[in-house]
Amino acid sequence: MLNDYLQQWSAIQTVRAAELNSRDVVLEYVTAGGDSSELDVQCYLAGLVMIPALQRDGVAHAINELLDATGSLVDGAHYSTYDVASDLGYADYLRTLVLTPDGYDFGAPSLGDRSTSAASSGVAGGGPVGHAVREEEYRTLHEAQEDAEFRRCRALYESGLLDTGSEDRFDRIIAQARNHFGVSSASMALITESSQIIKSVVGPIGQDLPRSQALCAKTIERDRTLVITDASTHPDWRNHPLVTGGPEVRFYAGHPLSTADGWRIGTLCLIDDQPRSFTEDDERELRILAHKAQAEFWVGPLG
């Protein structure tokens, strides 16, 4: 059984690499009889929610059918099991997923080209040819990452969110987040190429910062909630300038906010100057609030 987040990552990367329109994926999925709502599928493809395995397989199949119809050479989206992939006729079209020393790299954009993947090249490294191939792969990946960041920033600027200042529709959601969790502050942050820009904040903690100092800049690197229950004792965060000085942050929980096309452009986050626990139910409630904020800029202000 394929890990659910890895299957989601595969679907998102395939859609991006093939430059498919997520709405076309939804239409294909619904036409084939998928049971999840159109909004749930859109949110799944944005990395915001998880859907059941049967429905994930339905989305993967919709993506692969679109790739087949368009003649795309991009690696297909993966199914929950090999048997499902085989039954649906796509087992031989899927690239082998290989672990790196740190696990699967959820942040790396798909290259969309089998010829550059180590799994399909047959080169295991160790000699000069292997070294040359790996160096070429690194350059290709680096270029792809730069292109992905350019497109992410373009999606942020095209959203218009940076041009409108504070908005009541987001302020209400942020106030609800702070009141629900009882934290010092809650905020909505947008991440540009160099800065964290606070779109909405309720509470004393939350300010525009260089991107290199922003915790929210780390949150957008993954399609998952980032939770730090006590930053002062966490080996990765205890020396962070926001922890050792300034607001002396202890607790942080943030969930990424994505455009309808899947680009992670900001976060909804909770901050406290005291350590706190954070349960799975808490994470679910935070995702729901992030969903509400995200839906606002998907559909635009009403009226």
Side-chain angles (χ1 to χ4, degrees):
M1 176 71 77
L2 188 65
N3 175 278
D4 48 1
Y5 286 105
L6 180 57
Q7 186 179 9
Q8 181 182 36
W9 171 83
S10 168
I12 293 170
Q13 301 292 62
T14 302
V15 168
R16 292 178 183 174
E19 297 185 343
L20 297 178
N21 188 314
S22 60
R23 295 177 182 83
D24 291 338
V25 177
V26 172
L27 179 61
E28 182 74 25
Y29 167 83
V30 171
T31 302
D35 290 335
S36 290
S37 70
E38 295 183 24
L39 181 59
D40 278 347
V41 176
Q42 286 276 16
C43 290
Y44 172 73
L45 291 174
L48 182 60
V49 300
M50 185 57 64
I51 58 178
L54 182 62
Q55 305 312 317
R56 296 198 304 271
D57 287 336
V59 173
H61 197 59
I63 292 170
N64 293 335
E65 289 285 278
L66 289 173
L67 296 181
D68 196 31
T70 59
S72 174
L73 297 178
V74 170
D75 291 305
H78 281 255
Y79 299 89
S80 59
T81 70
Y82 178 84
D83 288 342
V84 173
S86 181
D87 290 343
L88 294 174
Y90 282 101
D92 294 335
Y93 292 85
L94 305 180
R95 159 176 67 181
T96 301
L97 295 172
V98 181
L99 280 170
T100 70
D102 299 318
Y104 293 102
D105 184 359
F106 286 84
S110 174
L111 300 180
D113 183 352
R114 299 172 199 270
S115 67
T116 61
S117 97
S120 61
S121 67
V123 178
V129 174
H131 176 76
V133 170
R134 290 197 305 276
E135 188 175 22
E136 178 61 28
E137 287 175 0
Y138 175 82
R139 284 198 299 270
T140 304
L141 178 58
H142 181 67
E143 291 170 0
Q145 288 172 329
E146 287 187 337
D147 178 64
E149 175 61 9
F150 172 81
R151 294 171 66 187
R152 188 197 69 80
C153 290
R154 183 175 64 185
L156 169 59
Y157 289 114
E158 289 178 349
S159 73
L161 293 170
L162 290 169
D163 303 324
T164 50
S166 178
E167 298 182 63
D168 288 343
R169 58 188 179 130
F170 297 119
D171 293 343
R172 287 192 294 269
I173 297 170
I174 299 308
Q176 182 182 354
R178 186 197 186 195
N179 292 336
H180 178 82
F181 291 101
V183 292
S184 299
S185 299
S187 64
M188 174 180 169
L190 303 173
I191 307 299
T192 74
E193 65 274 20
S194 60
S195 302
Q196 168 184 278
I197 306 297
I198 297 298
K199 177 70 173 177
S200 175
V201 61
V202 178
I205 305 175
Q207 58 184 311
D208 295 350
L209 290 169
R211 182 171 174 173
S212 60
Q213 295 182 19
L215 296 176
C216 290
K218 296 296 182 182
T219 302
I220 68 165
E221 294 178 1
R222 299 290 185 268
D223 287 320
R224 290 170 283 178
T225 306
L226 173 62
V227 178
I228 307 168
T229 56
D230 186 355
S232 67
T233 61
H234 196 293
D236 294 336
W237 304 103
R238 62 190 177 196
N239 294 320
H240 193 281
L242 295 179
V243 177
T244 59
E248 296 187 348
V249 171
R250 293 296 177 265
F251 169 81
Y252 173 92
H255 194 84
L257 303 175
S258 301
T259 65
D261 292 327
W263 297 106
R264 295 190 292 275
I265 61 172
T267 68
L268 190 155
C269 73
L270 311 170
I271 297 177
D272 209 333
D273 56 6
Q274 299 295 323
R276 300 175 63 95
S277 60
F278 208 67
T279 66
E280 290 184 3
D281 286 343
D282 290 332
E283 287 194 34
R284 181 177 62 83
E285 291 300 321
L286 181 59
R287 288 196 299 271
I288 290 172
L289 290 167
H291 179 127
K292 291 175 65 175
Q294 188 166 267
E296 284 290 334
F297 60 78
W298 281 13
V299 301
L302 301 178

Short mmCIF file of all heavy atoms in Angstrom, two decimals, residues 91-151:
data_model
loop_
_atom_site.label_atom_id
_atom_site.label_comp_id
_atom_site.label_asym_id
_atom_site.label_seq_id
_atom_site.Cartn_x
_atom_site.Cartn_y
_atom_site.Cartn_z
N ALA A 91 0.19 0.11 -14.93
CA ALA A 91 1.31 -0.33 -14.09
C ALA A 91 2.66 -0.11 -14.76
O ALA A 91 3.65 0.23 -14.11
CB ALA A 91 1.14 -1.79 -13.70
N ASP A 92 2.73 -0.31 -16.08
CA ASP A 92 4.00 -0.20 -16.79
C ASP A 92 4.38 1.23 -17.15
O ASP A 92 5.45 1.47 -17.70
CB ASP A 92 3.96 -1.05 -18.07
CG ASP A 92 3.85 -2.53 -17.78
OD1 ASP A 92 4.27 -2.95 -16.68
OD2 ASP A 92 3.33 -3.26 -18.65
N TYR A 93 3.51 2.18 -16.85
CA TYR A 93 3.76 3.56 -17.24
C TYR A 93 4.26 4.42 -16.09
O TYR A 93 4.53 5.60 -16.28
CB TYR A 93 2.47 4.19 -17.79
CG TYR A 93 2.02 3.60 -19.09
CD1 TYR A 93 1.24 2.45 -19.12
CD2 TYR A 93 2.37 4.18 -20.31
CE1 TYR A 93 0.82 1.89 -20.32
CE2 TYR A 93 1.97 3.63 -21.52
CZ TYR A 93 1.19 2.48 -21.51
OH TYR A 93 0.78 1.94 -22.70
N LEU A 94 4.40 3.82 -14.90
CA LEU A 94 4.71 4.60 -13.72
C LEU A 94 6.17 4.45 -13.32
O LEU A 94 6.68 3.33 -13.22
CB LEU A 94 3.81 4.19 -12.55
CG LEU A 94 2.31 4.25 -12.84
CD1 LEU A 94 1.52 3.82 -11.61
CD2 LEU A 94 1.90 5.65 -13.27
N ARG A 95 6.84 5.54 -13.08
CA ARG A 95 8.22 5.55 -12.64
C ARG A 95 8.34 4.94 -11.25
O ARG A 95 7.51 5.18 -10.38
CB ARG A 95 8.71 7.01 -12.64
CG ARG A 95 9.92 7.30 -11.77
CD ARG A 95 10.37 8.74 -11.91
NE ARG A 95 9.41 9.69 -11.39
CZ ARG A 95 9.61 11.01 -11.43
NH1 ARG A 95 10.69 11.50 -11.99
NH2 ARG A 95 8.72 11.84 -10.94
N THR A 96 9.37 4.18 -11.02
CA THR A 96 9.63 3.63 -9.69
C THR A 96 9.97 4.75 -8.73
O THR A 96 10.80 5.61 -9.01
CB THR A 96 10.79 2.62 -9.73
OG1 THR A 96 10.47 1.57 -10.64
CG2 THR A 96 11.03 2.04 -8.34
N LEU A 97 9.31 4.77 -7.57
CA LEU A 97 9.57 5.79 -6.56
C LEU A 97 10.69 5.30 -5.64
O LEU A 97 10.59 4.22 -5.04
CB LEU A 97 8.31 6.07 -5.75
CG LEU A 97 7.16 6.69 -6.56
CD1 LEU A 97 5.89 6.75 -5.74
CD2 LEU A 97 7.54 8.07 -7.05
N VAL A 98 11.74 6.08 -5.53
CA VAL A 98 12.94 5.66 -4.81
C VAL A 98 13.16 6.57 -3.61
O VAL A 98 13.07 7.80 -3.72
CB VAL A 98 14.19 5.71 -5.72
CG1 VAL A 98 15.42 5.24 -4.96
CG2 VAL A 98 13.96 4.83 -6.95
N LEU A 99 13.46 5.98 -2.47
CA LEU A 99 13.75 6.76 -1.27
C LEU A 99 15.11 7.43 -1.38
O LEU A 99 16.08 6.83 -1.84
CB LEU A 99 13.75 5.86 -0.04
CG LEU A 99 12.40 5.50 0.56
CD1 LEU A 99 12.59 4.42 1.62
CD2 LEU A 99 11.74 6.70 1.20
N THR A 100 15.19 8.68 -0.91
CA THR A 100 16.47 9.35 -0.71
C THR A 100 16.88 9.09 0.74
O THR A 100 16.09 8.54 1.52
CB THR A 100 16.33 10.86 -0.94
OG1 THR A 100 15.56 11.42 0.12
CG2 THR A 100 15.64 11.15 -2.28
N PRO A 101 18.08 9.48 1.16
CA PRO A 101 18.47 9.29 2.57
C PRO A 101 17.51 9.96 3.55
O PRO A 101 17.39 9.54 4.69
CB PRO A 101 19.86 9.93 2.64
CG PRO A 101 20.40 9.78 1.25
CD PRO A 101 19.21 9.96 0.35
N ASP A 102 16.82 11.01 3.11
CA ASP A 102 15.90 11.73 3.99
C ASP A 102 14.44 11.37 3.73
O ASP A 102 13.54 12.04 4.21
CB ASP A 102 16.08 13.24 3.81
CG ASP A 102 17.48 13.69 4.19
OD1 ASP A 102 17.99 13.19 5.20
OD2 ASP A 102 18.04 14.52 3.46
N GLY A 103 14.21 10.31 2.96
CA GLY A 103 12.84 9.96 2.61
C GLY A 103 12.47 10.53 1.26
O GLY A 103 13.32 11.00 0.51
N TYR A 104 11.20 10.44 0.90
CA TYR A 104 10.75 11.02 -0.36
C TYR A 104 10.81 12.54 -0.26
O TYR A 104 10.42 13.11 0.74
CB TYR A 104 9.33 10.56 -0.68
CG TYR A 104 9.23 9.10 -0.97
CD1 TYR A 104 8.75 8.21 -0.02
CD2 TYR A 104 9.64 8.59 -2.20
CE1 TYR A 104 8.66 6.85 -0.29
CE2 TYR A 104 9.56 7.24 -2.48
CZ TYR A 104 9.06 6.37 -1.51
OH TYR A 104 8.99 5.03 -1.78
N ASP A 105 11.27 13.17 -1.32
CA ASP A 105 11.40 14.63 -1.31
C ASP A 105 10.09 15.25 -1.76
O ASP A 105 9.82 15.39 -2.94
CB ASP A 105 12.55 15.05 -2.24
CG ASP A 105 12.78 16.55 -2.18
OD1 ASP A 105 12.04 17.22 -1.44
OD2 ASP A 105 13.69 17.03 -2.86
N PHE A 106 9.24 15.62 -0.82
CA PHE A 106 7.94 16.18 -1.14
C PHE A 106 8.06 17.59 -1.70
O PHE A 106 7.10 18.11 -2.24
CB PHE A 106 7.05 16.20 0.11
CG PHE A 106 6.53 14.84 0.48
CD1 PHE A 106 7.30 13.99 1.25
CD2 PHE A 106 5.29 14.43 0.07
CE1 PHE A 106 6.84 12.74 1.59
CE2 PHE A 106 4.82 13.17 0.41
CZ PHE A 106 5.58 12.32 1.17
N GLY A 107 9.19 18.23 -1.55
CA GLY A 107 9.31 19.60 -2.01
C GLY A 107 9.83 19.72 -3.43
O GLY A 107 9.74 20.77 -4.03
N ALA A 108 10.39 18.65 -3.97
CA ALA A 108 11.01 18.74 -5.29
C ALA A 108 9.99 18.66 -6.40
O ALA A 108 9.09 17.82 -6.37
CB ALA A 108 12.03 17.60 -5.46
N PRO A 109 10.06 19.56 -7.39
CA PRO A 109 9.14 19.47 -8.51
C PRO A 109 9.44 18.26 -9.38
O PRO A 109 10.59 17.84 -9.50
CB PRO A 109 9.40 20.77 -9.28
CG PRO A 109 10.79 21.14 -8.93
CD PRO A 109 11.00 20.67 -7.52
N SER A 110 8.41 17.68 -9.95
CA SER A 110 8.61 16.56 -10.86
C SER A 110 9.33 17.04 -12.11
O SER A 110 9.03 18.10 -12.64
CB SER A 110 7.26 15.94 -11.23
OG SER A 110 7.41 14.96 -12.21
N LEU A 111 10.27 16.24 -12.59
CA LEU A 111 10.99 16.63 -13.79
C LEU A 111 10.20 16.33 -15.06
O LEU A 111 10.41 16.91 -16.09
CB LEU A 111 12.34 15.88 -13.86
CG LEU A 111 13.27 16.16 -12.69
CD1 LEU A 111 14.55 15.38 -12.88
CD2 LEU A 111 13.57 17.64 -12.59
N GLY A 112 9.27 15.39 -14.94
CA GLY A 112 8.43 15.08 -16.08
C GLY A 112 9.19 14.50 -17.25
O GLY A 112 8.78 14.63 -18.40
N ASP A 113 10.31 13.83 -17.00
CA ASP A 113 11.11 13.27 -18.08
C ASP A 113 11.80 12.02 -17.57
O ASP A 113 12.70 12.08 -16.75
CB ASP A 113 12.15 14.29 -18.55
CG ASP A 113 12.98 13.79 -19.73
OD1 ASP A 113 12.85 12.60 -20.09
OD2 ASP A 113 13.75 14.60 -20.28
N ARG A 114 11.37 10.85 -18.05
CA ARG A 114 11.92 9.58 -17.56
C ARG A 114 13.43 9.49 -17.80
O ARG A 114 14.14 8.85 -17.06
CB ARG A 114 11.23 8.41 -18.26
CG ARG A 114 9.74 8.31 -18.03
CD ARG A 114 9.15 7.23 -18.92
NE ARG A 114 7.71 7.39 -19.05
CZ ARG A 114 6.82 6.85 -18.25
NH1 ARG A 114 7.22 6.13 -17.24
NH2 ARG A 114 5.53 7.03 -18.44
N SER A 115 13.91 10.15 -18.85
CA SER A 115 15.31 10.01 -19.20
C SER A 115 16.24 10.63 -18.18
O SER A 115 17.43 10.33 -18.17
CB SER A 115 15.57 10.65 -20.57
OG SER A 115 15.40 12.05 -20.51
N THR A 116 15.74 11.49 -17.31
CA THR A 116 16.61 12.13 -16.33
C THR A 116 16.48 11.50 -14.95
O THR A 116 17.12 11.93 -14.01
CB THR A 116 16.28 13.62 -16.19
OG1 THR A 116 14.93 13.77 -15.74
CG2 THR A 116 16.46 14.35 -17.50
N SER A 117 15.63 10.47 -14.81
CA SER A 117 15.46 9.87 -13.49
C SER A 117 16.47 8.78 -13.27
O SER A 117 16.73 7.95 -14.14
CB SER A 117 14.04 9.32 -13.33
OG SER A 117 13.99 7.97 -13.58
N ALA A 118 17.07 8.77 -12.06
CA ALA A 118 18.07 7.76 -11.73
C ALA A 118 17.48 6.37 -11.81
O ALA A 118 18.14 5.41 -12.16
CB ALA A 118 18.64 8.02 -10.34
N ALA A 119 16.18 6.24 -11.48
CA ALA A 119 15.55 4.94 -11.47
C ALA A 119 15.47 4.35 -12.86
O ALA A 119 15.53 3.14 -13.04
CB ALA A 119 14.14 5.05 -10.89
N SER A 120 15.32 5.19 -13.91
CA SER A 120 15.17 4.67 -15.26
C SER A 120 16.47 4.71 -16.04
O SER A 120 16.56 4.13 -17.12
CB SER A 120 14.10 5.48 -16.00
OG SER A 120 14.49 6.83 -16.09
N SER A 121 17.50 5.38 -15.54
CA SER A 121 18.73 5.49 -16.30
C SER A 121 19.60 4.26 -16.21
O SER A 121 20.45 4.02 -17.05
CB SER A 121 19.55 6.69 -15.81
OG SER A 121 20.02 6.47 -14.49
N GLY A 122 19.40 3.47 -15.13
CA GLY A 122 20.20 2.28 -14.96
C GLY A 122 21.59 2.56 -14.46
O GLY A 122 22.43 1.67 -14.38
N VAL A 123 21.89 3.79 -14.10
CA VAL A 123 23.22 4.16 -13.60
C VAL A 123 23.20 4.18 -12.09
O VAL A 123 22.41 4.88 -11.48
CB VAL A 123 23.65 5.52 -14.15
CG1 VAL A 123 25.00 5.92 -13.58
CG2 VAL A 123 23.70 5.50 -15.67
N ALA A 124 24.05 3.40 -11.45
CA ALA A 124 24.04 3.29 -10.00
C ALA A 124 25.09 4.15 -9.34
O ALA A 124 25.22 4.14 -8.14
CB ALA A 124 24.24 1.82 -9.59
N GLY A 125 25.87 4.86 -10.10
CA GLY A 125 26.89 5.73 -9.51
C GLY A 125 28.17 4.98 -9.24
O GLY A 125 28.29 3.78 -9.42
N GLY A 126 29.19 5.72 -8.78
CA GLY A 126 30.46 5.09 -8.41
C GLY A 126 31.55 5.36 -9.41
O GLY A 126 32.71 5.41 -9.06
N GLY A 127 31.24 5.48 -10.71
CA GLY A 127 32.24 5.74 -11.73
C GLY A 127 32.05 7.11 -12.32
O GLY A 127 31.12 7.83 -11.99
N PRO A 128 32.92 7.51 -13.24
CA PRO A 128 32.83 8.83 -13.82
C PRO A 128 31.53 9.05 -14.59
O PRO A 128 30.99 10.14 -14.61
CB PRO A 128 34.06 8.92 -14.73
CG PRO A 128 34.49 7.50 -14.97
CD PRO A 128 34.10 6.77 -13.73
N VAL A 129 31.02 7.98 -15.25
CA VAL A 129 29.77 8.14 -16.00
C VAL A 129 28.63 8.40 -15.02
O VAL A 129 27.81 9.29 -15.20
CB VAL A 129 29.48 6.88 -16.84
CG1 VAL A 129 28.11 6.99 -17.49
CG2 VAL A 129 30.56 6.71 -17.90
N GLY A 130 28.58 7.60 -13.93
CA GLY A 130 27.56 7.80 -12.92
C GLY A 130 27.63 9.18 -12.32
O GLY A 130 26.61 9.83 -12.10
N HIS A 131 28.84 9.65 -12.06
CA HIS A 131 29.01 10.99 -11.50
C HIS A 131 28.49 12.05 -12.45
O HIS A 131 27.80 12.99 -12.05
CB HIS A 131 30.48 11.25 -11.20
CG HIS A 131 30.75 12.64 -10.71
ND1 HIS A 131 30.46 13.04 -9.43
CD2 HIS A 131 31.26 13.73 -11.35
CE1 HIS A 131 30.79 14.31 -9.27
NE2 HIS A 131 31.28 14.75 -10.42
N ALA A 132 28.78 11.88 -13.75
CA ALA A 132 28.33 12.86 -14.74
C ALA A 132 26.81 12.89 -14.83
O ALA A 132 26.20 13.95 -14.94
CB ALA A 132 28.93 12.52 -16.11
N VAL A 133 26.19 11.69 -14.78
CA VAL A 133 24.74 11.63 -14.85
C VAL A 133 24.13 12.30 -13.63
O VAL A 133 23.19 13.08 -13.73
CB VAL A 133 24.26 10.17 -14.96
CG1 VAL A 133 22.75 10.08 -14.79
CG2 VAL A 133 24.67 9.59 -16.30
N ARG A 134 24.68 12.01 -12.44
CA ARG A 134 24.13 12.61 -11.23
C ARG A 134 24.30 14.13 -11.25
O ARG A 134 23.42 14.86 -10.82
CB ARG A 134 24.82 12.01 -10.00
CG ARG A 134 24.45 10.56 -9.73
CD ARG A 134 24.81 10.16 -8.31
NE ARG A 134 26.20 10.40 -8.00
CZ ARG A 134 27.19 9.57 -8.29
NH1 ARG A 134 26.94 8.43 -8.92
NH2 ARG A 134 28.43 9.86 -7.96
N GLU A 135 25.45 14.60 -11.77
CA GLU A 135 25.67 16.04 -11.85
C GLU A 135 24.66 16.68 -12.80
O GLU A 135 24.12 17.75 -12.52
CB GLU A 135 27.09 16.33 -12.33
CG GLU A 135 27.47 17.79 -12.25
CD GLU A 135 28.93 18.01 -12.61
OE1 GLU A 135 29.52 17.15 -13.29
OE2 GLU A 135 29.47 19.04 -12.22
N GLU A 136 24.38 16.01 -13.92
CA GLU A 136 23.41 16.53 -14.87
C GLU A 136 22.01 16.53 -14.25
O GLU A 136 21.24 17.48 -14.42
CB GLU A 136 23.41 15.67 -16.14
CG GLU A 136 22.37 16.10 -17.19
CD GLU A 136 22.60 17.53 -17.67
OE1 GLU A 136 23.76 18.00 -17.66
OE2 GLU A 136 21.61 18.17 -18.05
N GLU A 137 21.69 15.47 -13.51
CA GLU A 137 20.40 15.42 -12.82
C GLU A 137 20.28 16.57 -11.83
O GLU A 137 19.22 17.19 -11.70
CB GLU A 137 20.24 14.09 -12.08
CG GLU A 137 19.98 12.91 -13.00
CD GLU A 137 19.96 11.61 -12.23
OE1 GLU A 137 20.15 11.65 -11.00
OE2 GLU A 137 19.75 10.57 -12.86
N TYR A 138 21.38 16.85 -11.12
CA TYR A 138 21.34 17.93 -10.14
C TYR A 138 21.07 19.26 -10.82
O TYR A 138 20.26 20.06 -10.37
CB TYR A 138 22.66 18.00 -9.37
CG TYR A 138 22.74 19.18 -8.43
CD1 TYR A 138 22.15 19.13 -7.18
CD2 TYR A 138 23.37 20.36 -8.81
CE1 TYR A 138 22.19 20.22 -6.32
CE2 TYR A 138 23.42 21.46 -7.97
CZ TYR A 138 22.84 21.37 -6.72
OH TYR A 138 22.86 22.45 -5.88
N ARG A 139 21.75 19.50 -11.95
CA ARG A 139 21.55 20.76 -12.66
C ARG A 139 20.11 20.87 -13.16
O ARG A 139 19.49 21.92 -13.07
CB ARG A 139 22.53 20.87 -13.84
CG ARG A 139 23.96 21.21 -13.43
CD ARG A 139 24.73 21.74 -14.63
NE ARG A 139 24.82 20.74 -15.69
CZ ARG A 139 25.81 19.86 -15.79
NH1 ARG A 139 26.79 19.85 -14.89
NH2 ARG A 139 25.84 18.99 -16.77
N THR A 140 19.60 19.75 -13.69
CA THR A 140 18.23 19.75 -14.19
C THR A 140 17.25 20.01 -13.06
O THR A 140 16.30 20.80 -13.19
CB THR A 140 17.90 18.41 -14.86
OG1 THR A 140 18.85 18.16 -15.90
CG2 THR A 140 16.49 18.43 -15.45
N LEU A 141 17.46 19.35 -11.92
CA LEU A 141 16.58 19.54 -10.77
C LEU A 141 16.67 20.97 -10.25
O LEU A 141 15.65 21.59 -9.93
CB LEU A 141 16.96 18.55 -9.66
CG LEU A 141 16.15 18.66 -8.36
CD1 LEU A 141 14.67 18.48 -8.63
CD2 LEU A 141 16.64 17.64 -7.35
N HIS A 142 17.89 21.51 -10.19
CA HIS A 142 18.08 22.87 -9.71
C HIS A 142 17.34 23.86 -10.61
O HIS A 142 16.66 24.78 -10.13
CB HIS A 142 19.57 23.21 -9.66
CG HIS A 142 19.87 24.58 -9.15
ND1 HIS A 142 19.63 24.96 -7.84
CD2 HIS A 142 20.35 25.69 -9.78
CE1 HIS A 142 19.97 26.22 -7.68
NE2 HIS A 142 20.40 26.69 -8.84
N GLU A 143 17.44 23.67 -11.92
CA GLU A 143 16.74 24.54 -12.85
C GLU A 143 15.23 24.41 -12.69
O GLU A 143 14.49 25.41 -12.74
CB GLU A 143 17.15 24.22 -14.29
CG GLU A 143 18.59 24.59 -14.60
CD GLU A 143 19.05 24.04 -15.94
OE1 GLU A 143 18.23 23.35 -16.60
OE2 GLU A 143 20.22 24.26 -16.31
N ALA A 144 14.77 23.18 -12.47
CA ALA A 144 13.34 22.96 -12.28
C ALA A 144 12.84 23.61 -11.01
O ALA A 144 11.74 24.18 -10.97
CB ALA A 144 13.04 21.46 -12.25
N GLN A 145 13.65 23.55 -9.95
CA GLN A 145 13.27 24.18 -8.69
C GLN A 145 13.20 25.70 -8.85
O GLN A 145 12.30 26.36 -8.31
CB GLN A 145 14.25 23.79 -7.60
CG GLN A 145 14.12 22.35 -7.15
CD GLN A 145 15.22 21.92 -6.21
OE1 GLN A 145 16.35 22.41 -6.30
NE2 GLN A 145 14.91 21.00 -5.31
N GLU A 146 14.18 26.27 -9.57
CA GLU A 146 14.15 27.72 -9.80
C GLU A 146 12.92 28.11 -10.61
O GLU A 146 12.27 29.13 -10.33
CB GLU A 146 15.42 28.16 -10.53
CG GLU A 146 16.67 28.15 -9.66
CD GLU A 146 17.87 28.75 -10.38
OE1 GLU A 146 17.85 28.77 -11.63
OE2 GLU A 146 18.79 29.21 -9.70
N ASP A 147 12.58 27.30 -11.60
CA ASP A 147 11.40 27.58 -12.41
C ASP A 147 10.14 27.47 -11.57
O ASP A 147 9.22 28.30 -11.68
CB ASP A 147 11.33 26.60 -13.58
CG ASP A 147 10.09 26.82 -14.44
OD1 ASP A 147 9.98 27.89 -15.04
OD2 ASP A 147 9.23 25.92 -14.47
N ALA A 148 10.08 26.46 -10.69
CA ALA A 148 8.92 26.29 -9.83
C ALA A 148 8.75 27.47 -8.89
O ALA A 148 7.63 27.95 -8.67
CB ALA A 148 9.04 24.99 -9.03
N GLU A 149 9.85 27.99 -8.34
CA GLU A 149 9.78 29.13 -7.44
C GLU A 149 9.33 30.38 -8.21
O GLU A 149 8.53 31.18 -7.70
CB GLU A 149 11.12 29.38 -6.77
CG GLU A 149 11.20 30.63 -5.91
CD GLU A 149 10.23 30.66 -4.74
OE1 GLU A 149 9.58 29.63 -4.47
OE2 GLU A 149 10.11 31.72 -4.09
N PHE A 150 9.80 30.55 -9.43
CA PHE A 150 9.36 31.68 -10.25
C PHE A 150 7.86 31.61 -10.49
O PHE A 150 7.14 32.61 -10.35
CB PHE A 150 10.11 31.69 -11.59
CG PHE A 150 9.58 32.70 -12.57
CD1 PHE A 150 9.95 34.03 -12.48
CD2 PHE A 150 8.70 32.32 -13.58
CE1 PHE A 150 9.46 34.97 -13.38
CE2 PHE A 150 8.20 33.25 -14.48
CZ PHE A 150 8.58 34.57 -14.38
N ARG A 151 7.36 30.42 -10.80
CA ARG A 151 5.94 30.24 -11.07
C ARG A 151 5.12 30.40 -9.80
O ARG A 151 4.00 30.92 -9.83
CB ARG A 151 5.70 28.89 -11.73
CG ARG A 151 6.33 28.79 -13.12
CD ARG A 151 6.26 27.39 -13.67
NE ARG A 151 4.89 26.98 -13.93
CZ ARG A 151 4.55 25.75 -14.28
NH1 ARG A 151 5.48 24.81 -14.40
NH2 ARG A 151 3.30 25.44 -14.51
#
